[in-house]
């Protein structure tokens, strides 16, 4: 990575922001390899994703005001994982996955004390459907529940496969009506976020 950064004129011009589309693409390629690829595909795609991390770290190392390199990234990650695994490194006990999550969430909450809303830290660049799942979960933590199918005209899916069918049908409706399904969900999420912030402020 250092050689490429120093000797490749294209790489020398690249910024963190320039790399974002590649990072997203490589992440999706890893997901594809996990879901439907071969072991060789997964090995290759994980390497491509790792290259993005190395590239960002190489760019960061040249920042004149606040430089850090891949060793600093690894050190920060190590410190975080040690904090979040006290049952491994600090003598706490966790004999079930649920108990592990209790330790993990407690450590994470301590790290994020500066956050004022359950919505803080949710990356807005996520695709709308993934963002919706994240925000619905955070909203429940603030006491704001999102109702499921109602009015007797729709039934809730009973399996993940049925959920996929229902989502696909909704996308087909959006296409037939000339609506943008991604935009529609994002706009609805803005309303949900406002509801959450109102609940947190007692409005």
């Amino acid at each position: 990575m250092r050689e490429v950064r120093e000797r490749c004129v294209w790489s020398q011009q690249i910024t963190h922001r320039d790399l974002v589309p590649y990072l997203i693409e490589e992440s999706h390629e890893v997901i594809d390899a996990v879901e439907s690829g071969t072991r060789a595909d997964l090995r290759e795609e994980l390497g491509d994703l790792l290259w993005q991390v190395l590239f960002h770290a190489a760019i960061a190392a040249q920042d004149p005001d606040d430089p850090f390199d891949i060793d600093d990234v690894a050190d920060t990650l190590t410190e975080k994982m040690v904090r979040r695994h006290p049952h491994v490194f600090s003598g706490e006990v966790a004999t079930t996955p649920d108990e592990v999550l209790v330790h993990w969430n407690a450590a994470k909450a301590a790290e994020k004390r500066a956050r004022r809303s359950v919505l803080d830290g949710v990356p807005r660049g996520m695709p709308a459907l993934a963002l919706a799942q994240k925000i619905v979960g955070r909203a429940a933590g603030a006491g704001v529940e999102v109702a499921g199918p109602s009015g007797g005209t729709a039934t809730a899916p009973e399996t993940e496969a049925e959920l996929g069918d229902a989502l696909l049908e909704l996308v087909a409706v959006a296409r037939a009506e000339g609506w943008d399904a991604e935009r529609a969900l994002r706009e609805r999420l803005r309303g949900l976020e406002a509801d959450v912030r109102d609940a947190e402020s007692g409005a």
Side-chain angles (χ1 to χ4, degrees), residues 26 29-30 33 38-51:
E26 297 298 354
E29 289 180 1
V30 169
T38 65
R39 299 287 291 173
D41 291 335
L42 181 57
R43 183 170 61 245
E44 178 182 354
E45 298 305 339
L46 284 171
D48 290 347
L49 186 59
L50 177 59
W51 183 255

Side-chain angles (χ1 to χ4, degrees), residues 23-194:
L23 179 60
I24 293 170
E25 180 179 342
E26 297 298 354
S27 298
H28 284 293
E29 289 180 1
V30 169
I31 293 168
D32 285 343
V34 167
E35 293 180 345
S36 60
T38 65
R39 299 287 291 173
D41 291 335
L42 181 57
R43 183 170 61 245
E44 178 182 354
E45 298 305 339
L46 284 171
D48 290 347
L49 186 59
L50 177 59
W51 183 255
Q52 293 300 306
V53 175
L54 294 170
F55 209 153
H56 277 285
I59 294 169
Q62 295 176 327
D63 186 282
D65 301 316
D66 185 17
F68 61 83
D69 62 15
I70 192 64
D71 291 328
D72 298 315
V73 172
D75 288 344
T76 300
L77 175 61
T78 300
E79 290 168 6
K80 179 190 286 187
M81 291 302 107
V82 168
R83 279 196 312 273
R84 293 190 182 181
H85 292 82
H87 55 291
V88 175
F89 299 104
S90 301
E92 298 290 341
V93 176
T95 57
T96 68
D98 286 342
E99 290 175 355
V100 170
L101 284 178
V102 169
H103 291 305
W104 179 276
N105 290 330
K108 191 172 180 180
E111 294 166 10
K112 311 299 182 185
R113 282 196 183 115
R115 292 183 177 173
R116 314 186 99 153
S117 169
V118 296
L119 299 175
D120 290 349
V122 176
R124 292 309 185 274
M126 295 171 72
L129 196 57
L131 181 62
Q133 186 151 340
K134 178 75 79 173
I135 290 178
V136 166
R138 296 288 182 93
V144 178
E145 296 290 341
V146 177
S150 59
T153 58
T155 57
E158 295 183 1
T159 67
E160 196 166 279
E162 289 182 6
L163 174 63
D165 290 340
L167 291 170
L168 189 57
E169 289 170 10
L170 287 173
V171 171
V173 169
R175 181 180 180 280
E177 296 291 341
W179 300 333
D180 185 319
E182 179 88 4
R183 182 176 61 230
L185 183 53
R186 283 193 177 278
E187 289 180 355
R188 178 62 188 88
L189 287 174
R190 278 194 282 275
L192 176 58
E193 289 186 57

